[in-house]
Amino acid sequence: MTFRALLVYGVFGISFSYAQNSQVPSVSTSVSLSSAASPPTSTVAAVTDPASFVIPFVGTTNGGHVFPAPGATLPHGMAKVGMDTDSPGNHAGYDADPQFNATGFSQLHDSGTGGAIPLSNFKLWPFAQCASFERCPTSINGRKTSRKLLANGKPDDFASPGYFSTNLSNSIRVELTATRRTALHRYTFPDGTKNPRIAVDITNDGSQSSTNPVMTLDPNTAQVVGGASFTASFGPGRYEAFTCVSFKGDGFDLGKPTEFGAWLADFPVKGTTNIAQLYFGFTDQLGALFTWNPAPRGKTTILARVGVSLISSAQACANAEEEIPDFDFERVRTENRRQWNELLGRVQVDVTGVEKETVQLFYSSLYRTHISPADYTGENPKWNSTEPYYDSLYCNWDTYRTLYPLMSLHDPSRFADIVRGMIDIQRHEGWLPECRGATAQHFIQGGSNADPILGEFFVKFHDQAAAMGVSADDLYTALLADAELQPPNWNLQGRQADIWKRLNYIPLDMFDAGGANTKQASRTLEHAFNDFAISQVAKIMGKADDGRKYSQRAGNFANVWNPNTTVPGAPDVLGMVQPRFENGTFNFTDPRHCSIHDPDHATCFLNAANRDGFYEGSPLLYSQYVPQDTAKLIELQGGVEKFVSRLDFLFDQSYFEPTDEPSQQMPFMYHYANRPGLSTQRARQTIANFFNTSVNGLPGNDDSGAMGSYATFYLAGMYPLPATRQFLLSSPYFKQISFFNPTFNTTTTIRNNGFAGNPPTGIGGRVFVQSVAVNGQQYKSNCYLDWDVFTNGSLVELTLTDNINVTCGTGPEALPPSLSTGGYD
Ligand SMILES: *[C@@H]1O[C@H](CO)[C@@H](O)[C@H](O)[C@H]1NC(C)=O
Ligand SMILES: *[C@@H]1O[C@H](CO)[C@@H](O)[C@H](O)[C@H]1NC(C)=O
Ligand SMILES: *[C@@H]1O[C@H](CO)[C@@H](O)[C@H](O)[C@H]1NC(C)=O
Ligand SMILES: *[C@@H]1O[C@H](CO)[C@@H](O)[C@H](O)[C@H]1NC(C)=O
Ligand SMILES: *[C@@H]1O[C@H](CO)[C@@H](O)[C@H](O)[C@H]1NC(C)=O
Ligand SMILES: *[C@@H]1O[C@H](CO)[C@@H](O)[C@H](O)[C@H]1NC(C)=O
Ligand SMILES: *[C@@H]1O[C@H](CO)[C@@H](O)[C@H](O)[C@H]1NC(C)=O
Ligand SMILES: *[C@@H]1O[C@H](CO)[C@@H](O)[C@H](O)[C@H]1NC(C)=O
Ligand SMILES: *[C@@H]1O[C@H](CO)[C@@H](O)[C@H](O)[C@H]1NC(C)=O
Ligand SMILES: *[C@@H]1O[C@H](CO)[C@@H](O)[C@H](O)[C@H]1NC(C)=O
């Protein structure tokens, strides 16, 4: 992507403005000298409008299932209002491919998920030219309409943080914005529209799963209240959702509707006010339809305010009235963007000397980090509590690795609220949540991965936890529930704890009541890491015995290591994680199983019939998944040289899959072999090969921000180790990058001395870290940064070289810690 930089010398320093192109929002990138959030020694211009670099369309084809494009949400907002299409491949409703037609504009979405299509509740739909009220095609198939196409063949859709607009082929313009629990829609009808109409659809959620719909409309005000029960996306449960829709003329008095009525499929029934008045035995598609007089002059523009609630339609009305009493679209949109800019602006990059696309990729990735989980506080129907309630934990398995450690750096108070919500769930349900959507428990992916999330919070913020409302004792109690108590159904939360405690691995041939016989080998690795996180908390809390106990259990991964397993054709790759029977003998799963080289072309998705022992990854990839003790893994794999050549084999043979979260760390694993240059190159190749700003610029699902936060870390030149004090270090893609942490009121800047840009393929370049200085002093390692670098607020200076043969250094603490060699205490 090309861009022009205009240099403008102001009184206080340098500012930049970018030439606009069609993909860039029309709001100009205004840049001025930084103030509070900039590093003390820096004269770099701050990015004051980071939202203008966000391209919400990234990942909206190719299975990215990304919500935000196009759609409007606050950071972690509950209302996520967006366009739905008839695309079968997009769970968040939107598809950038114009062959798919618009079916509605709905209020709730998840981002980047699998399962059945989640949410997408309460679609609205405008009509400009029905033959008559009764002949409006209100059903989801009847009404669907293609989008207007631009000259370049793309749909005429626009999105930026907090705002979406589209022009339909029937010349109706639709604009959307949102507050936390309320969406605001603006429909502009074409010139000459005599009978502007809008339908409200109560029943067609994304999976068309509604039962027990209720709806009434007010013939005078056109307010619609209603709700229904819907299926959960990835679990056995259901949830109820409610809405409250009100209308207002934009710049004119809308008056009473001239026609109103409930509808059933394609049959609006004029004069009805309640679906109970309709016979609806033969269809589950129901809603309301209104006709109004057009505006007295000019185009007719009608605002629709849509409150949502999981408690009641009365609460949906109260939410809407509280959050958007004035129906002021521009105010809501501006305030939404202000919140995004405040959040995104806590991370500042120096835009000089890098491609504009790199800056866009960075802020778009950071943006997607803040879509889920969503703040459903006050909307949990299951129990009364004054604690925060976050939902859309879809799934902790995806997000614990990178999303929460990124929050540690720049959004700790939100992180604290999410942790409080998780602890509250444990208090009421007995176990911490693993996967969750719209209050329903979803299927676990493997571990009890709230453990490393709580561990991450506590390791980083134990001294601030109480002030942030997190009780250390309650947090610890919640962790122990996962670690020690077997739940009635460990497919939905917790673990197969009894067997874990007895055997120290999960055997292939024992599955007690309440769980499916799947993914035993990978669950063993997960529980080992989960227990590592608990040991980290125990040690900080002064519970030395527990610390030792859980550290020991963290070593249980070795119990599923078969030293004799090899890969066909690569006898040097010796030793592999394998499924193991209760009697101690191993079963055999081909290490290529469910990789691209799997001769059986199997998948490892959730399937109770799978007897392979692994989840969403091959044994080869899982054999690299021991983040807590890479030193031990090196030993099991036959020493440093064999470890490095195995990593090379995995990359060179394309076994590495960035979509598979357990292997996300792999590019950085050369650090532990004292070859950080190789990590830097592999990490940069990962970005070059799999991430870009186009609509298919994600390698798969965004997984609720897992991929967004992953790319953010890679572009920042770091990879986090959750529930530890360490961040593995490489070189950022920018001359410098700064993280402002509001809890500590400190800014830490990582600066590349000798920065010469980023090689587009990720190969070579002056990008390898030769030495590291923190606040002018040589640092103990070139391979990681400790947390106190960030809490203190530091200037980290990296000296770069083009020699890939750099090392972590020579001192005793040069290599990153591992359980078996120390450094975590
Ligand atoms: C989308 O709409 C266009 C025109 O409105 C129509 O030709 C096309 O068949 C529709 N596509 C689908 C998948 O229904
Ligand atoms: C839609 O049309 C309006 C004018 O009619 C125009 O201002 C806008 O840029 C178009 N595109 C989008 C995505 O809103
Ligand atoms: C919450 O409290 C209200 C008021 O006391 C009560 O009506 C409601 O049933 C409670 N809800 C739950 C889920 O306990
Ligand atoms: C691996 O092979 C060695 C040598 O044949 C044998 O002694 C050992 O029991 C084997 N281990 C496993 C787990 O099969
Ligand atoms: C261990 O159990 C497996 C599965 O039941 C069985 O196939 C195998 O023969 C057993 N091995 C021994 C040594 O008992
Ligand atoms: C052992 O592995 C084979 C091949 O993966 C599989 O078909 C079989 O079901 C497994 N045995 C058990 C008892 O799970
Ligand atoms: C963007 O990345 C995807 C893979 O993630 C790739 O298929 C596509 O070709 C890339 N597009 C560009 C413009 O580089
Ligand atoms: C945060 O630090 C800045 C200086 O870096 C200072 O001006 C400001 O008062 C501090 N804010 C708080 C709340 O301590
Ligand atoms: C951070 O500050 C503490 C207390 O002043 C100090 O002991 C520590 O060395 C500092 N760490 C770094 C990396 O500068
Ligand atoms: C790095 O080391 C490798 C192997 O030892 C060597 O072949 C290569 O020339 C070295 N590269 C540089 C830039 O020194």
Coordinates of all heavy atoms in Angstrom, one line a residue, residues 297-368:
R297 N -39.9 17.8 3.5 CA -39.0 18.2 2.4 C -37.7 17.4 2.5 O -37.3 16.9 3.5 CB -38.8 19.7 2.4 CG -38.0 20.2 3.6 CD -38.2 21.7 3.8 NE -39.4 22.1 4.5 CZ -39.6 21.9 5.8 NH1 -38.7 21.4 6.5 NH2 -40.7 22.3 6.4
G298 N -37.1 17.2 1.4 CA -35.8 16.5 1.3 C -36.0 15.0 1.5 O -37.1 14.5 1.5
K299 N -34.9 14.4 1.7 CA -34.9 12.9 2.0 C -35.5 12.6 3.3 O -35.4 13.4 4.3 CB -33.5 12.4 1.9 CG -32.9 12.3 0.5 CD -31.6 11.5 0.7 CE -30.7 11.6 -0.6 NZ -31.2 11.1 -1.8
T300 N -36.1 11.5 3.4 CA -36.7 11.0 4.7 C -35.6 10.2 5.4 O -35.1 9.2 4.9 CB -37.9 10.1 4.5 OG1 -38.9 10.9 3.8 CG2 -38.4 9.6 5.8
T301 N -35.3 10.6 6.6 CA -34.3 9.9 7.4 C -34.9 9.5 8.8 O -35.4 10.4 9.5 CB -33.0 10.7 7.6 OG1 -32.4 11.0 6.3 CG2 -32.0 10.0 8.5
I302 N -34.9 8.3 9.1 CA -35.6 7.8 10.3 C -34.5 7.1 11.2 O -33.8 6.3 10.8 CB -36.7 6.8 10.0 CG1 -37.8 7.5 9.2 CG2 -37.3 6.2 11.3 CD1 -39.0 6.6 8.7
L303 N -34.5 7.6 12.5 CA -33.6 7.0 13.5 C -34.4 5.8 14.2 O -35.6 6.0 14.5 CB -33.2 8.0 14.5 CG -32.3 9.1 13.9 CD1 -32.5 10.4 14.7 CD2 -30.9 8.7 13.8
A304 N -33.7 4.7 14.4 CA -34.3 3.6 15.2 C -33.3 3.4 16.4 O -32.1 3.1 16.1 CB -34.4 2.4 14.3
R305 N -33.8 3.5 17.6 CA -33.0 3.2 18.7 C -33.4 1.8 19.3 O -34.6 1.6 19.6 CB -33.3 4.3 19.8 CG -32.5 4.2 21.0 CD -32.9 5.2 22.1 NE -34.2 4.8 22.6 CZ -34.8 5.5 23.6 NH1 -34.3 6.7 24.0 NH2 -36.0 5.1 24.1
V306 N -32.4 1.0 19.4 CA -32.7 -0.4 19.8 C -32.0 -0.8 21.0 O -30.8 -1.1 21.0 CB -32.3 -1.4 18.6 CG1 -32.9 -2.8 18.9 CG2 -32.8 -0.9 17.3
G307 N -32.7 -0.9 22.1 CA -32.1 -1.3 23.4 C -32.2 -2.8 23.4 O -33.1 -3.5 22.9
V308 N -31.2 -3.5 24.1 CA -31.2 -4.9 24.2 C -31.0 -5.2 25.7 O -30.4 -4.5 26.4 CB -30.1 -5.6 23.4 CG1 -30.5 -5.6 21.9 CG2 -28.7 -5.0 23.6
S309 N -31.4 -6.4 26.1 CA -31.3 -6.9 27.5 C -31.4 -8.4 27.5 O -32.2 -9.0 26.6 CB -32.3 -6.2 28.4 OG -32.3 -6.8 29.7
L310 N -30.8 -9.0 28.4 CA -31.0 -10.5 28.6 C -31.9 -10.7 29.8 O -32.2 -11.8 30.2 CB -29.7 -11.2 28.8 CG -28.7 -11.2 27.7 CD1 -27.5 -12.1 27.9 CD2 -29.3 -11.4 26.3
I311 N -32.4 -9.6 30.4 CA -33.3 -9.7 31.6 C -34.8 -9.5 31.2 O -35.6 -10.4 31.5 CB -32.9 -8.6 32.6 CG1 -31.4 -8.7 33.0 CG2 -33.8 -8.6 33.8 CD1 -31.1 -9.7 33.9
S312 N -35.1 -8.5 30.5 CA -36.5 -8.2 30.2 C -36.6 -7.1 29.1 O -35.6 -6.3 28.9 CB -37.3 -7.7 31.4 OG -36.8 -6.5 31.8
S313 N -37.7 -7.0 28.5 CA -37.9 -5.9 27.5 C -38.0 -4.6 28.2 O -37.6 -3.5 27.7 CB -39.0 -6.1 26.5 OG -40.2 -6.5 27.3
A314 N -38.5 -4.6 29.5 CA -38.6 -3.4 30.2 C -37.1 -2.9 30.5 O -36.9 -1.6 30.4 CB -39.3 -3.6 31.6
Q315 N -36.3 -3.8 30.8 CA -34.9 -3.4 31.0 C -34.2 -2.9 29.7 O -33.4 -2.0 29.7 CB -34.0 -4.5 31.6 CG -32.6 -4.0 31.9 CD -32.0 -4.8 33.0 OE1 -32.6 -5.1 34.0 NE2 -30.7 -5.1 32.9
A316 N -34.6 -3.5 28.6 CA -34.1 -3.1 27.3 C -34.5 -1.6 27.0 O -33.7 -0.8 26.5 CB -34.6 -4.0 26.1
C317 N -35.8 -1.3 27.4 CA -36.3 0.1 27.2 C -35.5 1.0 28.1 O -35.1 2.1 27.7 CB -37.8 0.2 27.5 SG -38.8 -0.7 26.4
A318 N -35.3 0.6 29.4 CA -34.6 1.4 30.3 C -33.1 1.7 29.9 O -32.6 2.8 29.9 CB -34.6 0.8 31.7
N319 N -32.5 0.6 29.3 CA -31.1 0.8 28.8 C -31.1 1.8 27.7 O -30.2 2.7 27.7 CB -30.6 -0.6 28.3 CG -30.4 -1.6 29.4 OD1 -30.3 -1.3 30.6 ND2 -30.3 -2.8 29.0
A320 N -32.0 1.7 26.8 CA -32.0 2.6 25.6 C -32.3 4.0 26.1 O -31.6 5.0 25.6 CB -33.1 2.2 24.7
E321 N -33.2 4.2 27.0 CA -33.5 5.6 27.5 C -32.4 6.2 28.2 O -32.1 7.4 28.1 CB -34.8 5.5 28.3 CG -35.4 6.9 28.6 CD -35.7 7.8 27.4 OE1 -36.0 7.2 26.3 OE2 -35.6 9.0 27.5
E322 N -31.7 5.3 29.0 CA -30.6 5.8 29.8 C -29.4 6.2 28.9 O -28.7 7.2 29.1 CB -30.1 4.8 30.8 CG -29.0 5.2 31.7 CD -28.4 4.0 32.4 OE1 -29.1 3.0 32.8 OE2 -27.1 4.0 32.6
E323 N -29.1 5.4 27.9 CA -27.9 5.6 27.1 C -28.0 6.5 25.9 O -27.1 7.2 25.6 CB -27.4 4.2 26.6 CG -27.0 3.3 27.8 CD -26.5 1.9 27.3 OE1 -26.4 1.7 26.1 OE2 -26.4 1.0 28.2
I324 N -29.2 6.5 25.3 CA -29.4 7.4 24.2 C -30.7 8.2 24.3 O -31.7 8.0 23.5 CB -29.3 6.6 22.8 CG1 -28.1 5.7 22.8 CG2 -29.3 7.6 21.6 CD1 -27.9 4.9 21.5
P325 N -30.9 9.0 25.3 CA -32.2 9.7 25.5 C -32.5 10.7 24.3 O -33.7 10.9 24.0 CB -32.0 10.5 26.8 CG -30.5 10.6 27.0 CD -29.9 9.4 26.3
D326 N -31.4 11.1 23.6 CA -31.6 12.2 22.7 C -31.7 11.7 21.2 O -31.8 12.5 20.3 CB -30.5 13.2 22.8 CG -29.1 12.6 22.7 OD1 -29.0 11.3 22.5 OD2 -28.1 13.3 22.9
F327 N -31.5 10.5 20.9 CA -31.4 10.0 19.6 C -30.4 10.7 18.7 O -30.5 10.8 17.5 CB -32.8 10.1 18.9 CG -33.8 9.1 19.3 CD1 -34.4 9.1 20.5 CD2 -34.2 8.0 18.4 CE1 -35.4 8.2 20.9 CE2 -35.1 7.1 18.8 CZ -35.7 7.2 20.0
D328 N -29.3 11.2 19.4 CA -28.4 12.1 18.6 C -27.3 11.2 18.0 O -26.3 10.8 18.7 CB -27.8 13.1 19.6 CG -26.9 14.1 18.9 OD1 -26.4 13.8 17.7 OD2 -26.7 15.2 19.4
F329 N -27.4 10.9 16.7 CA -26.5 10.0 16.1 C -25.1 10.5 16.1 O -24.2 9.7 16.5 CB -27.0 9.7 14.6 CG -26.3 8.6 14.0 CD1 -26.9 7.3 14.0 CD2 -25.1 8.7 13.4 CE1 -26.3 6.2 13.4 CE2 -24.5 7.6 12.8 CZ -25.1 6.3 12.8
E330 N -24.9 11.7 15.8 CA -23.5 12.2 15.7 C -22.8 12.2 17.1 O -21.7 12.0 17.3 CB -23.4 13.6 15.1 CG -23.8 13.6 13.6 CD -23.1 12.6 12.8 OE1 -21.9 12.3 13.0 OE2 -23.7 12.0 11.9
R331 N -23.6 12.6 18.1 CA -23.1 12.6 19.5 C -22.6 11.2 19.9 O -21.5 10.9 20.4 CB -24.1 13.1 20.5 CG -23.6 13.1 21.9 CD -24.7 13.4 23.0 NE -25.7 12.3 23.0 CZ -25.5 11.1 23.6 NH1 -24.3 10.9 24.2 NH2 -26.4 10.2 23.6
V332 N -23.5 10.2 19.6 CA -23.2 8.8 20.0 C -22.0 8.3 19.3 O -21.1 7.7 19.8 CB -24.4 7.9 19.8 CG1 -24.0 6.4 20.0 CG2 -25.6 8.3 20.7
R333 N -22.0 8.6 18.0 CA -20.8 8.2 17.1 C -19.5 8.8 17.6 O -18.5 8.1 17.7 CB -21.1 8.6 15.7 CG -20.0 8.2 14.8 CD -20.2 8.8 13.3 NE -19.1 8.4 12.5 CZ -19.0 8.8 11.2 NH1 -19.9 9.5 10.7 NH2 -17.9 8.5 10.6
T334 N -19.5 10.1 17.9 CA -18.3 10.8 18.3 C -17.8 10.3 19.7 O -16.6 10.1 19.9 CB -18.6 12.3 18.4 OG1 -19.1 12.7 17.1 CG2 -17.4 13.1 18.8
E335 N -18.8 10.1 20.6 CA -18.4 9.6 21.9 C -17.8 8.2 21.8 O -16.8 7.8 22.5 CB -19.6 9.6 22.8 CG -19.5 8.9 24.2 CD -18.3 9.4 25.0 OE1 -17.8 10.5 24.8 OE2 -17.8 8.6 25.9
N336 N -18.4 7.3 20.9 CA -17.9 6.0 20.7 C -16.5 6.1 20.2 O -15.6 5.4 20.8 CB -18.8 5.3 19.7 CG -18.5 3.8 19.6 OD1 -17.3 3.5 19.4 ND2 -19.5 3.0 19.6
R337 N -16.2 6.9 19.2 CA -14.9 6.9 18.6 C -13.9 7.5 19.7 O -12.7 7.1 19.7 CB -14.9 7.8 17.4 CG -13.6 7.8 16.6 CD -13.7 8.7 15.4 NE -12.5 8.7 14.6 CZ -12.3 8.0 13.5 NH1 -13.3 7.1 13.1 NH2 -11.2 8.1 12.8
R338 N -14.4 8.5 20.5 CA -13.5 9.0 21.5 C -13.0 7.9 22.4 O -11.8 7.8 22.8 CB -14.2 10.1 22.3 CG -13.3 10.9 23.2 CD -14.1 11.7 24.3 NE -14.8 10.8 25.2 CZ -14.3 10.1 26.1 NH1 -13.0 10.0 26.3 NH2 -15.0 9.3 26.9
Q339 N -13.9 7.0 22.8 CA -13.5 5.9 23.7 C -12.5 5.0 23.0 O -11.6 4.5 23.6 CB -14.7 5.1 24.2 CG -15.6 6.0 25.1 CD -16.6 5.1 25.9 OE1 -16.4 3.9 26.2 NE2 -17.8 5.6 26.2
W340 N -12.7 4.7 21.7 CA -11.8 3.9 21.0 C -10.4 4.6 20.9 O -9.4 3.9 21.2 CB -12.3 3.6 19.6 CG -13.2 2.4 19.6 CD1 -14.5 2.4 19.3 CD2 -12.8 1.0 19.8 NE1 -15.0 1.1 19.3 CE2 -14.0 0.2 19.6 CE3 -11.6 0.4 20.1 CZ2 -14.0 -1.1 19.8 CZ3 -11.6 -1.0 20.3 CH2 -12.8 -1.8 20.1
N341 N -10.4 5.8 20.6 CA -9.1 6.5 20.5 C -8.4 6.6 21.8 O -7.2 6.5 21.9 CB -9.3 7.9 19.9 CG -9.3 7.9 18.4 OD1 -8.7 7.1 17.8 ND2 -10.0 8.9 17.8
E342 N -9.1 6.8 22.9 CA -8.5 6.8 24.2 C -7.8 5.5 24.5 O -6.6 5.4 25.0 CB -9.5 7.2 25.3 CG -8.9 7.5 26.7 CD -8.5 6.3 27.5 OE1 -9.3 5.3 27.5 OE2 -7.4 6.3 28.1
L343 N -8.5 4.4 24.2 CA -8.0 3.1 24.5 C -6.8 2.7 23.5 O -5.7 2.3 24.0 CB -9.1 2.0 24.4 CG -8.7 0.6 24.5 CD1 -8.1 0.3 25.9 CD2 -10.0 -0.3 24.3
L344 N -7.0 2.9 22.2 CA -6.0 2.5 21.3 C -4.8 3.4 21.4 O -3.6 3.0 21.2 CB -6.6 2.6 19.8 CG -7.8 1.7 19.5 CD1 -8.3 2.0 18.1 CD2 -7.4 0.2 19.6
G345 N -5.0 4.6 21.8 CA -3.9 5.6 21.9 C -3.0 5.4 23.1 O -1.9 6.0 23.2
R346 N -3.4 4.4 24.0 CA -2.5 4.1 25.0 C -1.2 3.3 24.5 O -0.2 3.2 25.1 CB -3.2 3.2 26.1 CG -4.3 3.9 26.8 CD -5.0 2.9 27.7 NE -6.2 3.5 28.2 CZ -7.2 2.8 28.9 NH1 -6.9 1.5 29.2 NH2 -8.3 3.4 29.3
V347 N -1.4 2.8 23.3 CA -0.3 2.2 22.6 C 0.1 3.1 21.4 O -0.7 3.3 20.5 CB -0.6 0.7 22.1 CG1 0.7 0.1 21.6 CG2 -1.2 -0.1 23.3
Q348 N 1.3 3.6 21.5 CA 1.7 4.6 20.5 C 2.8 4.0 19.7 O 3.8 3.4 20.2 CB 2.2 5.9 21.2 CG 1.2 6.7 21.8 CD 0.4 7.5 20.8 OE1 1.0 7.9 19.8 NE2 -0.9 7.6 21.0
V349 N 2.7 4.1 18.3 CA 3.9 3.7 17.5 C 4.4 4.9 16.7 O 3.6 5.9 16.4 CB 3.5 2.6 16.5 CG1 3.0 1.4 17.2 CG2 2.4 3.1 15.5
D350 N 5.7 4.9 16.5 CA 6.3 5.9 15.6 C 6.0 5.5 14.2 O 6.5 4.5 13.7 CB 7.8 6.0 15.9 CG 8.5 7.1 15.2 OD1 7.9 7.7 14.2 OD2 9.6 7.5 15.5
V351 N 5.3 6.4 13.5 CA 4.9 6.0 12.1 C 5.9 6.3 11.0 O 5.7 6.0 9.9 CB 3.5 6.7 11.7 CG1 2.4 6.3 12.7 CG2 3.7 8.2 11.6
T352 N 7.0 6.9 11.4 CA 8.0 7.3 10.4 C 8.8 6.0 10.0 O 9.1 5.2 10.8 CB 9.0 8.3 10.9 OG1 9.6 7.8 12.1 CG2 8.4 9.6 11.2
G353 N 9.0 5.9 8.7 CA 9.9 4.9 8.2 C 9.2 3.5 8.0 O 9.9 2.5 7.8
V354 N 7.9 3.4 8.2 CA 7.2 2.2 8.0 C 6.1 2.3 7.0 O 5.5 3.4 6.8 CB 6.6 1.5 9.3 CG1 7.7 1.1 10.3 CG2 5.7 2.5 10.0
E355 N 5.7 1.3 6.4 CA 4.6 1.3 5.5 C 3.3 1.7 6.2 O 3.1 1.2 7.4 CB 4.4 -0.1 4.9 CG 5.5 -0.7 4.1 CD 5.7 0.0 2.8 OE1 4.6 0.4 2.2 OE2 6.8 0.3 2.3
K356 N 2.5 2.4 5.6 CA 1.2 2.7 6.2 C 0.5 1.4 6.6 O -0.2 1.3 7.6 CB 0.4 3.6 5.3 CG -0.9 4.0 6.1 CD -1.8 5.0 5.3 CE -2.9 5.5 6.1 NZ -3.9 6.2 5.3
E357 N 0.6 0.4 5.7 CA -0.2 -0.8 6.0 C 0.3 -1.5 7.3 O -0.5 -2.1 8.0 CB 0.0 -1.8 4.8 CG -0.9 -3.0 5.1 CD -1.0 -4.1 4.1 OE1 -0.4 -4.0 3.0 OE2 -1.7 -5.1 4.4
T358 N 1.5 -1.3 7.7 CA 2.0 -1.8 8.9 C 1.3 -1.1 10.1 O 0.9 -1.8 11.1 CB 3.5 -1.7 9.0 OG1 4.1 -2.3 7.9 CG2 4.0 -2.4 10.3
V359 N 1.2 0.2 10.0 CA 0.5 0.9 11.1 C -1.0 0.5 11.1 O -1.6 0.3 12.2 CB 0.6 2.4 10.8 CG1 -0.1 3.2 12.0 CG2 2.0 2.9 10.7
Q360 N -1.6 0.3 9.9 CA -3.0 -0.1 9.9 C -3.2 -1.5 10.4 O -4.1 -1.8 11.2 CB -3.5 -0.1 8.4 CG -3.7 1.4 7.9 CD -4.0 1.4 6.5 OE1 -3.5 0.6 5.7 NE2 -4.8 2.4 6.1
L361 N -2.2 -2.4 10.1 CA -2.3 -3.8 10.6 C -2.2 -3.8 12.1 O -2.9 -4.5 12.8 CB -1.2 -4.6 10.0 CG -1.2 -6.1 10.3 CD1 -2.5 -6.8 9.8 CD2 0.0 -6.8 9.7
F362 N -1.3 -2.9 12.6 CA -1.1 -2.8 14.0 C -2.4 -2.4 14.8 O -2.9 -3.1 15.7 CB 0.0 -1.9 14.4 CG 0.3 -1.9 15.9 CD1 1.0 -2.9 16.5 CD2 -0.2 -0.8 16.7 CE1 1.2 -2.9 17.9 CE2 0.0 -0.8 18.0 CZ 0.7 -1.9 18.6
Y363 N -2.9 -1.2 14.4 CA -4.1 -0.7 15.1 C -5.4 -1.5 14.8 O -6.3 -1.6 15.7 CB -4.3 0.8 14.8 CG -3.4 1.6 15.6 CD1 -2.4 2.4 15.0 CD2 -3.4 1.7 17.0 CE1 -1.5 3.1 15.7 CE2 -2.6 2.4 17.8 CZ -1.6 3.2 17.1 OH -0.7 3.9 17.9
S364 N -5.5 -2.1 13.6 CA -6.6 -3.0 13.4 C -6.6 -4.3 14.3 O -7.6 -4.7 14.8 CB -6.6 -3.5 11.9 OG -6.7 -2.3 11.1
S365 N -5.4 -4.8 14.5 CA -5.2 -5.9 15.4 C -5.5 -5.6 16.8 O -6.2 -6.3 17.5 CB -3.8 -6.5 15.2 OG -3.5 -6.8 13.9
L366 N -5.0 -4.4 17.2 CA -5.2 -4.0 18.6 C -6.7 -3.7 18.8 O -7.3 -4.1 19.9 CB -4.4 -2.7 18.9 CG -4.5 -2.1 20.3 CD1 -4.0 -3.1 21.3 CD2 -3.7 -0.8 20.4
Y367 N -7.4 -3.2 17.8 CA -8.8 -3.0 17.8 C -9.6 -4.3 18.1 O -10.5 -4.4 18.9 CB -9.3 -2.3 16.5 CG -10.7 -2.2 16.2 CD1 -11.5 -1.3 16.9 CD2 -11.3 -3.0 15.2 CE1 -12.9 -1.2 16.6 CE2 -12.7 -2.9 14.9 CZ -13.4 -2.0 15.6 OH -14.8 -1.9 15.3
R368 N -9.2 -5.3 17.3 CA -9.9 -6.6 17.5 C -9.7 -7.3 18.8 O -10.4 -8.2 19.2 CB -9.6 -7.5 16.3 CG -10.1 -7.1 15.0 CD -10.2 -8.2 14.0 NE -9.0 -9.1 14.0 CZ -7.9 -8.8 13.4 NH1 -7.8 -7.7 12.7 NH2 -6.8 -9.5 13.5

